[in-house]
Structures are given as C-alpha cells and as structure tokens.
Amino acid sequence: MIVRIMGEGQWKLADGHFTELNKLDDELLQEMESGDGEGFRRTLGALLDAVRRLGEPLPDEALEPSELILPAPDATLDDVMKMLDDDGLIPG
C-alpha cells in the first residue's frame, strides 16, 4: 500500500504493518475526541514515525496513487478532524 504524508512524500508499506498503524490511529482518534492536544501531538508524531520506519520511501519523481493520506507533522487538531471518517485516518 502507498501512504502519503502531506508535505513530505510517499512510502510503500506492506499490509502486515497496518495492525501497528491502526493501533496508533485508534489512540489518535480517542485523544482528538477528548480534546487531549498534547496526546494528539505525541501520537500523530508516533504514527508518522511508524510510517517512515516501516515503509520504503518512494523517490520524489515517483507519483504513485496514494491509498492512504496522512496529515503533515505540523497539522493542527482541527486540520486532522477535517480529514477523519468514521474509522479515523486509517480505514479498518
């Protein structure tokens, strides 16, 4: 699966890594719902770091369709709220 971090680029991740990403996404959603700004910032950073750590970066000139788009590291809680659906940022 191809994942884009807004403002950074794309990473190719194996489907097996989505269990870890979904756990972080669930935490992020709970923090957003409770208004925990500090927790939101920490968990968003952990989610983006996991994508970078687990994924293989694609070259800048590669423009693959992204199956998942994550917010930039400096995104605000309001920015991310606008990106959410019922499952959070990561479906499933």
Side-chain angles (χ1 to χ4, degrees), residues 43-77:
T43 305
L44 177 60
L47 176 62
L48 300 179
D49 287 345
V51 169
R52 295 180 196 110
R53 177 175 43 85
L54 299 170
E56 176 185 330
L58 296 179
D60 289 340
E61 61 274 3
L63 293 174
E64 300 290 327
S66 300
E67 296 161 278
L68 181 61
I69 299 174
L70 297 177
D74 62 349
T76 66
L77 200 138

Side-chain angles (χ1 to χ4, degrees), residues 2-11 51 57-60 66 68:
I2 305 296
V3 178
R4 173 177 297 282
I5 297 176
M6 295 174 68
E8 286 191 26
Q10 294 178 302
W11 283 260
V51 169
L58 296 179
D60 289 340
S66 300
L68 181 61

